[in-house]
Amino acid sequence: MSSQGRILKDKIAHKVMLAFVWLTIILLLVIALGLFIKAWPLFKTVSISDLLFSTTWVPYEGKFGMLSFIISTFWVTGVATVIAVPLCLLCAIYLSEYANKKVIAWVSPLIDILAGIPSVIFGIWGVIVIVPFVRDILAPMFGVSSTGYSILAGGIVLSIMVFPIVIYVLLEVFKTVPEDLRNAALSLGANKWIMIRKVLLRKAGPGIISAIVLGFSRALGETLAVLMVVGNVVDLPSNPLEAGYPLPAMIANNYGELLSIPMYDSALMLCALVLFVIVVFFNIIARIILRRIEKKIS
Amino acid sequence: MTAKLKMSQSDAACAEGSICINNLNVYYGDRHALKNININLPTRSITAIIGPSGCGKTTLLKCFNRLIDSVDDITVTGQVLVDGDDIFAPEAEVTDIRKRMGLLSQRPYPLPMSIYENVAFGPKLHGVKEKSKLNEIVEHYLKEASLWDEVKDRLNTPASRLSIGQQQRLCLARGLAVEPDIILGDEPTSALDPISSHHIEQKFLELKKEYTIVVVTHILRQARRIADYLIFMYMGEIVEHGPAKEILENPKEKRTQEYVKGIIS
């Protein structure tokens, strides 16, 4: 009797968990579908190439060219990645290979705190510190005048926000490299730095890419902090010291306003769909690269 | 004064390729893992370190190439002389020490690169640059480890594609390629099938003519097959050591007797 009850419980638990897994997958499809349906009316009046490859964004004239937003998104994310990846790699290597337990015990709670800071605080900090820093120091260095509200400021703030996530994933990745593999390289007379470069980084290669992709995906969608420092000017940016207007910031700033303009809400939904597709596409490409590297190594 | 006298005596006894250990103590935090180890290991022969798990066999082995350095919270006191040099002396260069020893670990860990690159890794580190010289070295040591015929047509494939037995022989070739005087084995056959194990054991018996070999093993029969000299450890101490035959057939200490008979393991 009781054994039958236990079997039943086991079966129910199994089914419930499976149902939740399906729910997650379906949720992804429902989001994509919802955005698509809402954006659909726009496709009937404006051609897709005008939407994706034009920079003319004049909603009350029915012109919804979103290229500036797409390019801005890539700029901010690219700048953030260029700043964050080397820093995160060096930090994670230090924590995993050089630091003793005391340092780790001291540093990891701080990284935890960094991960938990709400993005609005990063935004305010960006406005107070990073924007003037770009305006008064970085821009003059390149002989450019800038208000400071720029893609660079957005990238810097964003790089700090993805920092804890990427470090955590990297540390987990380095943990999976067996101690004896490190010892094998060391026992051949390699010093620590050579061991790290030739063995650790190579062995951890696929994991490092995963970590970067995770950071990248997070960066693509980050809204509030970026919105506060990036300038929000509808224009095709040509360098990081200019203002930009990434997709998430644009959607957040405009949704709920001016919806009386025809097709405006459809255009915003299309922006969201484009962002969604970029993130999904990016993850798929990363997965393909990952599989190739894994094949090469093993 | 007497300590100094003792040291110079042991220095004299420490011939090339030998390992002499004086008053070695190792602590993991508060735990006393190796207690007052004093022993000279014979050159050009196989020394097996036997004893139950956790007795300090591997710790002792890790002292020889200072891999013990990478353990957190470790304290080492005493001396380990290799070719007469104290490897724990502050001026000792750890990469030089490791160059004198090849290591075979419990499982083979090929480096994440090709078969060729695995063998060439050590020589490259130690300054060999010419391609032709490297080719020679790779071929020579793969032959030395009886692996050449099996891999000569696929030297550029990743080492991880080899079978585990082949991988262990590759690790042997890789270790030999840095031209060490000493080979260290940390239960080097424990992950291998019987045929591959036999291969490695045979190799050790050939190699002992030129190298000093120290093997940690928990397989008593393996010690019987290959060892010339035995060290029996228990709870961080050396209980008994001497020629293998003597220890196996005529152990003096009670704990050794019990271990050899299989009463404790």
Side-chain angles (χ1 to χ4, degrees):
Chain A
M1 173 65 194
S2 81
S3 109
Q4 257 181 354
R6 251 178 279 154
I7 291 169
L8 188 69
K9 266 186 203 164
D10 183 50
K11 273 186 181 163
I12 292 172
H14 178 138
K15 289 272 149 61
V16 168
M17 285 186 266
L18 184 69
F20 278 113
V21 171
W22 274 110
L23 196 68
T24 324
I25 296 166
I26 290 168
L27 205 59
L28 194 71
L29 293 175
V30 167
I31 291 173
L33 196 69
L35 292 175
F36 188 78
I37 291 170
K38 282 284 196 178
W40 182 245
L42 198 63
F43 291 125
K44 286 187 215 151
T45 53
V46 191
S47 77
I48 291 186
S49 69
D50 270 354
L51 290 170
L52 294 183
F53 303 116
S54 156
T55 55
T56 324
W57 178 268
V58 189
Y60 51 83
E61 288 175 15
K63 288 179 181 156
F64 298 106
M66 51 184 68
L67 188 67
S68 325
F69 308 119
I70 297 173
I71 299 293
S72 285
T73 307
F74 283 122
W75 261 113
V76 173
T77 308
V79 170
T81 308
V82 167
I83 297 171
V85 167
L87 282 180
C88 290
L89 257 181
L90 292 177
C91 271
I93 290 172
Y94 178 78
L95 287 176
S96 129
E97 305 302 313
Y98 291 91
N100 61 33
K101 276 183 197 153
K102 276 181 208 151
V103 175
I104 295 170
W106 199 77
V107 170
S108 45
L110 290 182
I111 298 177
D112 272 340
I113 293 172
L114 201 60
I117 293 177
S119 60
V120 65
I121 293 181
F122 279 105
I124 290 172
W125 176 77
V127 171
I128 297 171
V129 178
I130 299 298
V131 168
F133 174 69
V134 172
R135 182 186 61 214
D136 301 332
I137 295 170
L138 282 180
M141 258 169 58
F142 292 95
V144 185
S145 79
S146 164
T147 59
Y149 289 94
S150 58
I151 284 170
L152 186 60
I156 292 172
V157 170
L158 202 47
S159 68
I160 295 161
M161 293 180 72
V162 298
F163 194 79
I165 305 167
V166 177
I167 283 206
Y168 262 118
V169 179
L170 284 175
L171 286 178
E172 288 305 313
V173 167
F174 291 152
K175 265 187 214 158
T176 64
V177 176
E179 204 51 45
D180 279 334
L181 182 64
R182 294 180 175 85
N183 286 344
L186 295 177
S187 75
L188 293 169
N191 60 30
K192 221 165 192 176
W193 179 233
I194 293 177
M195 180 279 285
I196 289 166
R197 260 175 41 221
K198 304 245 162 144
V199 177
L200 182 76
L201 291 183
R202 234 189 252 198
K203 188 78 181 173
I208 292 171
I209 291 186
S210 301
I212 294 170
V213 170
L214 199 73
F216 228 121
S217 309
R218 173 87 174 74
L220 277 169
E222 174 51 39
T223 310
L224 193 63
V226 176
L227 177 154
M228 291 169 77
V229 298
V230 83
N232 304 332
V233 173
V234 189
D235 194 9
L236 199 63
S238 57
N239 70 61
L241 288 165
E242 283 178 20
Y245 209 170
L247 284 165
M250 206 282 285
I251 299 164
N253 263 347
N254 294 301
Y255 197 78
E257 287 173 29
L258 304 170
L259 287 186
S260 54
I261 297 173
M263 293 295 168
Y264 198 53
D265 62 332
S266 285
L268 291 180
M269 284 299 167
L270 184 63
C271 286
L273 185 64
V274 168
L275 185 64
F276 184 88
V277 169
I278 290 173
V279 172
V280 169
F281 194 66
F282 185 74
N283 271 281
I284 290 171
I285 289 181
R287 234 156 242 283
I288 293 169
I289 296 173
L290 209 68
R291 207 165 291 164
R292 281 217 184 133
I293 293 175
E294 269 168 357
K295 233 184 204 169
K296 228 177 167 184
I297 290 178
S298 60
Chain B
M1 194 60 194
T2 47
K4 213 164 197 182
L5 196 69
K6 252 188 197 163
M7 234 175 77
S8 60
Q9 275 173 350
S10 57
D11 279 354
C14 256
E16 194 195 329
S18 70
I19 300 175
C20 305
I21 304 154
N22 301 325
N23 288 320
L24 180 71
N25 280 283
V26 172
Y27 303 82
Y28 290 118
D30 297 331
R31 199 166 72 82
H32 201 169
L34 288 183
K35 297 168 190 162
N36 277 323
I37 307 290
N38 280 293
I39 193 171
N40 293 357
L41 302 183
T43 57
R44 311 264 179 277
S45 51
I46 300 178
T47 301
I49 307 175
I50 57 171
S53 340
C55 70
K57 305 185 293 270
T58 301
T59 304
L60 182 58
L61 197 78
K62 278 188 171 170
C63 286
F64 298 160
N65 60 4
R66 283 193 43 188
L67 277 181
I68 195 103
D69 291 7
S70 44
V71 180
D72 275 330
D73 249 358
I74 194 97
T75 318
V76 181
T77 63
Q79 275 188 320
V80 175
L81 302 172
V82 174
D83 298 342
D85 304 328
D86 180 9
I87 62 168
F88 283 102
E91 69 275 9
E93 187 63 57
V94 75
T95 51
D96 286 344
I97 295 160
R98 288 176 183 154
K99 189 180 178 301
R100 295 188 213 162
M101 320 205 184
L103 172 72
L104 276 186
S105 52
Q106 294 192 7
R107 287 175 45 86
Y109 282 99
L111 304 174
M113 44 189 90
S114 69
I115 296 169
Y116 182 98
E117 290 289 329
N118 260 275
V119 184
F121 187 81
K124 271 186 183 168
L125 282 179
H126 301 297
V128 182
K129 288 201 177 79
E130 299 144 70
K131 186 79 182 153
S132 60
K133 182 88 179 124
L134 282 172
N135 291 344
E136 241 170 67
I137 291 174
V138 169
E139 180 172 346
H140 178 258
Y141 287 105
L142 282 173
K143 279 179 177 161
E144 189 88 353
S146 320
L147 191 61
W148 175 252
D149 290 330
E150 290 159 64
V151 301
K152 63 183 175 202
D153 301 323
R154 47 175 174 145
L155 290 174
N156 291 320
T157 53
S160 52
R161 299 231 180 109
L162 296 173
S163 76
I164 194 157
Q166 290 171 323
Q167 284 182 14
Q168 193 63 306
R169 276 179 281 149
L170 178 68
C171 291
L172 182 62
R174 179 178 76 184
L176 294 177
V178 295
E179 299 181 337
D181 303 317
I182 298 162
I183 298 171
L184 306 175
D186 184 6
E187 305 190 8
T189 62
S190 63
L192 306 186
D193 60 90
I195 295 166
S196 305
S197 297
H198 180 70
H199 234 106
I200 294 281
E201 285 181 12
Q202 288 305 308
K203 218 58 237 178
F204 276 8
L205 289 171
E206 283 170 36
L207 290 169
K208 75 172 183 183
K209 291 171 201 133
E210 292 168 59
Y211 300 90
T212 300
I213 300 177
V214 187
V215 183
V216 164
T217 181
H218 66 272
I219 311 166
L220 214 48
R221 277 161 301 166
Q222 185 173 55
R224 214 180 285 271
R225 283 194 296 269
I226 62 170
D228 302 301
Y229 200 83
L230 267 187
I231 299 172
F232 173 62
M233 293 185 68
Y234 194 82
M235 308 281 276
E237 288 173 89
I238 293 183
V239 175
E240 200 168 346
H241 63 92
K245 218 168 171 196
E246 235 168 70
I247 302 255
L248 289 169
E249 285 169 10
N250 225 340
K252 292 185 191 69
E253 293 281 331
K254 187 159 177 288
R255 281 175 294 183
T256 323
Q257 288 165 9
E258 285 177 342
Y259 185 76
V260 171
K261 282 184 195 156
I263 297 171
I264 52 173
S265 62

